[in-house]
Amino acid sequence: MSTRQLELEILRYDPEKDEAPYFQNYSVPCQDDWAILDAVNYVKENLDTTLAYRWSCHMMVCGSCGMMINGDPKLTCKTFVRDLPDKVRIEPLENFPIERDLVVVLDDVIEKLQRVKPYIIRKDPAPENEEFNQPRSALMKFKQYTMCINCMCCYSACPQYGLNPDFIGPAALALAHRYNIDSRDQGKSERLDILADHDGVWDCSFVGACSEVCPKSVDPAAALQQMKVDGTMEWWKRKMGFPGGDS
Amino acid sequence: MAIAKKALVWGLFAAGGTVSSFLFPFLIALFLLVALGATPEGLQYETIRGFASSWLGKLTVFGVLFLSLWHAAHRLRVVCHDFGIRADGAVAVIVYSLATVGTLLAAWYLLAIS
Amino acid sequence: MSRNPYVRPMSKTTWYLRNGRFRIYALREVTCLLVGFYAFLSIFALRALWQGADSWNAFLASQQSTPMVVFHAFALVYFFIYQTVGWFQLAPKAMPLMMGEKKVAASTIVLGHYLVWALVSLFLLWFVGVI
């Protein structure tokens, strides 16, 4: 197998020593079938043991190796050396505070993921001691939203989250939508009080970048627009005195 | 927590975006023809006045203008935010006031044409 | 070990120049100026119509100029590309359709929009006597 020399420019930041992050260059002999994660691992193992970054599965499942690669948020395990030029710039995910080197602080999105009530809410009791069936058509409505692995590439791509960190943001809102449109769920009205409040769906201006960068082909931008429609309908319903709908 | 009032303007924005996407290419083409001096038959005074006197005509023109104005106003508010103008409250007052003035003028003229 | 997270600043005024995706987005958003311009131009036309035949004809005459031809031609192309095409392209995301167990393909919904647009435009052109 042939190798190719890749120049990696990696953003470094040591919270105990550095005033600000800076780029450090590494020259890495990469094999043709390597992902960028392999190249970063090579740096860690052979060139600089102090480099900090997150990764786990190396197979697009765990969602922990998201980084900016030449300016785009990507999973490093899914981005291959053969598709990249000889110079590759690797930075921590944008729009997040940098903890150290390529590791970012995710506390904010973890809180938001919980805030949107991402679980089935029932007003009537769910069937006990039997499966809670739903037709296949109901599953197909929301299935793509279940594919999210919380890699947060969408938050890095979203300029509105960058401009206003209070915005709930793509992944958390898409996850909420997944439950809103689940035929077994009855919590849509309750959730819309959070999703369609200030800092909710209205901060989205439909740039669409979240959906374009998603490594799992989830479409948060679509979820956001549908929630705006839902929020508008619900607002009118309440203004006209109807009780909140949970269909 | 509650649903923010933005739901109201967003609804108008979305409706106006749809209406303008479908109809404004035609509207602009019409102004282009006028600018070229090739004013179509339908814009001759008697014809257009006849159209604007009918209730169908009044309602159609008003609906299109009303929704387009609010679409433009809301999007302009977002554009200001995107371009770095952070006085969102003041921007909102200005753009929505403009849309209101336009809406009232359109309604006034349409009602007055008989 | 102490924590000292570093926040990288984001330009609040020039961020949309950063990549092609953002630039197209910015070009799409400023179509609102054209929408506003043509809405107010139409209201101005209504005023002339309300004032009577002389005003109306004066309005039509005042609109005839080479700069306006250039502006309208530019506006027509710009508006069609960034507003009409852009809006239709994104429509399937805001209103997905289900046919039985399957989602209707986004391209089908977009095509439907173009068809309706073409029919409506043809009807209107016929209605005002252009064709």
Side-chain angles (χ1 to χ4, degrees):
Chain A
M1 188 161 305
S2 65
T3 62
R4 187 172 136 225
Q5 208 66 23
L6 227 62
E7 301 302 320
L8 300 189
E9 290 180 356
I10 300 183
L11 196 73
R12 304 295 311 269
Y13 172 65
D14 182 339
E16 291 173 320
K17 286 202 301 238
D18 300 329
E19 283 286 305
Y22 60 95
F23 281 103
Q24 190 166 349
N25 294 347
Y26 302 96
S27 189
V28 179
C30 294
Q31 290 182 21
D32 276 349
D33 61 347
W34 273 14
I36 278 296
L37 179 57
D38 297 306
V40 177
N41 281 340
Y42 183 93
V43 173
K44 175 90 174 168
E45 282 160 21
N46 300 291
L47 306 175
D48 189 343
T49 56
T50 66
L51 182 66
Y53 58 102
R54 288 194 181 110
W55 74 288
S56 175
C57 76
H58 200 302
M59 50 193 274
M60 302 159 232
V61 175
C62 75
S64 46
C65 71
M67 298 170 201
M68 306 300 292
I69 301 177
N70 286 341
D72 269 329
K74 287 174 181 239
L75 289 183
T76 50
C77 68
K78 203 195 171 189
T79 308
F80 290 92
V81 163
R82 59 173 174 267
D83 300 324
L84 291 167
D86 291 337
K87 238 181 179 343
V88 178
R89 176 171 276 208
I90 304 174
E91 298 160 85
L93 284 177
E94 246 162 42
N95 298 340
F96 292 108
I98 303 173
E99 184 81 62
R100 173 187 290 265
D101 295 340
L102 299 168
V103 176
V104 293
V105 182
L106 289 170
D107 304 7
D108 180 51
V109 286
I110 302 298
E111 183 277 315
K112 282 168 179 163
L113 284 167
Q114 295 171 16
R115 196 199 304 174
V116 299
K117 306 192 179 179
Y119 37 81
I120 285 180
I121 295 172
R122 294 290 302 178
K123 303 239 158 94
D124 321 319
E128 267 178 65
N129 304 324
E130 58 179 302
E131 290 170 37
F132 198 164
N133 288 324
Q134 64 183 160
R136 195 178 146 74
S137 58
L139 170 68
M140 295 321 282
K141 270 189 191 155
F142 67 78
K143 190 169 176 229
Q144 58 130 330
Y145 300 115
T146 67
M147 308 308 277
C148 174
I149 55 175
N150 299 336
C151 67
M152 300 307 150
C153 285
C154 53
Y155 280 78
S156 278
C158 177
Q160 300 303 350
Y161 178 66
L163 293 169
N164 172 21
D166 289 332
F167 174 36
I168 298 176
L173 287 167
L175 182 65
H177 187 60
R178 172 249 175 278
Y179 287 94
N180 277 350
I181 58 175
D182 189 319
S183 61
R184 300 163 298 183
D185 180 78
Q186 297 175 325
K188 180 164 139 185
S189 174
E190 180 181 332
R191 245 179 244 113
L192 279 173
D193 276 332
I194 303 163
L195 312 177
D197 200 353
H198 297 285
D199 304 328
V201 289
W202 316 114
D203 280 358
C204 163
S205 60
F206 209 168
V207 179
C210 50
S211 299
E212 284 179 45
V213 302
C214 179
K216 301 299 277 188
S217 303
V218 180
D219 196 346
L224 271 280
Q225 307 325 305
Q226 291 163 37
M227 275 186 282
K228 289 180 195 171
V229 176
D230 291 342
T232 306
M233 310 264 262
E234 182 80 11
W235 189 86
W236 279 107
K237 258 197 222 164
R238 290 182 192 177
K239 280 289 153 205
M240 287 155 66
F242 294 103
D246 276 319
S247 55
Chain B
M1 296 231 180
I3 295 178
K5 273 203 230 44
K6 276 194 182 171
L8 172 65
V9 265
W10 187 83
L12 294 173
F13 161 81
T18 307
V19 163
S20 64
S21 295
F22 277 102
L23 300 181
F24 269 48
F26 163 76
L27 183 70
I28 300 173
L30 220 49
F31 278 114
L32 179 60
L33 286 172
V34 170
L36 285 164
T39 306
E41 192 55 38
L43 291 187
Q44 297 305 326
Y45 180 70
E46 290 304 325
T47 331
I48 185 83
R49 219 194 94 178
F51 176 69
S53 314
S54 69
W55 278 106
L56 181 69
K58 284 187 207 294
L59 275 176
T60 313
V61 174
F62 178 74
V64 172
L65 290 179
F66 166 64
L67 292 174
S68 307
L69 280 165
W70 283 85
H71 168 82
H74 186 64
R75 191 166 252 184
L76 189 56
R77 179 182 174 188
V78 176
V79 166
C80 289
H81 175 269
D82 284 346
F83 285 6
I85 300 167
R86 278 302 116 92
D88 187 55
V91 169
V93 169
I94 293 168
V95 293
Y96 295 147
S97 299
L98 278 172
T100 309
V101 168
T103 305
L104 291 175
L105 281 176
W108 170 259
Y109 294 136
L110 280 166
L111 284 172
I113 294 168
S114 55
Chain C
M1 291 276 277
S2 64
R3 289 186 68 177
N4 180 24
Y6 184 87
V7 178
R8 282 192 292 175
M10 171 173 174
S11 161
K12 299 236 187 294
T13 47
T14 58
W15 61 268
Y16 46 87
L17 299 173
R18 202 167 53 193
N19 65 41
R21 221 169 5 234
F22 292 169
R23 283 192 288 270
I24 288 176
Y25 162 78
L27 289 169
R28 180 191 88 192
E29 293 296 288
V30 294
T31 54
C32 68
L33 296 173
L34 288 177
V35 176
F37 174 78
Y38 282 100
F40 275 103
L41 186 59
S42 302
I43 291 167
F44 194 61
L46 283 179
R47 177 169 171 269
L49 188 63
W50 162 67
Q51 287 170 336
D54 292 342
S55 286
W56 177 253
N57 288 327
F59 169 75
L60 288 182
S62 73
Q63 291 300 305
Q64 289 181 33
S65 73
T66 314
M68 281 318 269
V69 171
V70 175
F71 178 78
H72 289 316
F74 165 78
L76 184 58
V77 174
Y78 189 92
F79 186 88
F80 184 75
I81 293 174
Y82 287 104
Q83 172 73 346
T84 303
V85 173
W87 197 269
F88 290 178
Q89 211 63 37
L90 297 176
K93 291 191 189 267
M95 8 172 266
L97 291 175
M98 297 285 285
M99 287 270 272
E101 292 191 353
K102 284 204 176 128
K103 275 195 173 146
V104 178
S107 55
T108 312
I109 299 176
V110 175
L111 194 66
H113 275 76
Y114 281 113
L115 273 176
V116 172
W117 172 77
L119 288 174
V120 168
S121 298
L122 283 174
F123 168 78
L124 289 170
L125 287 172
W126 168 80
F127 188 73
V128 298
V130 175
I131 51 172

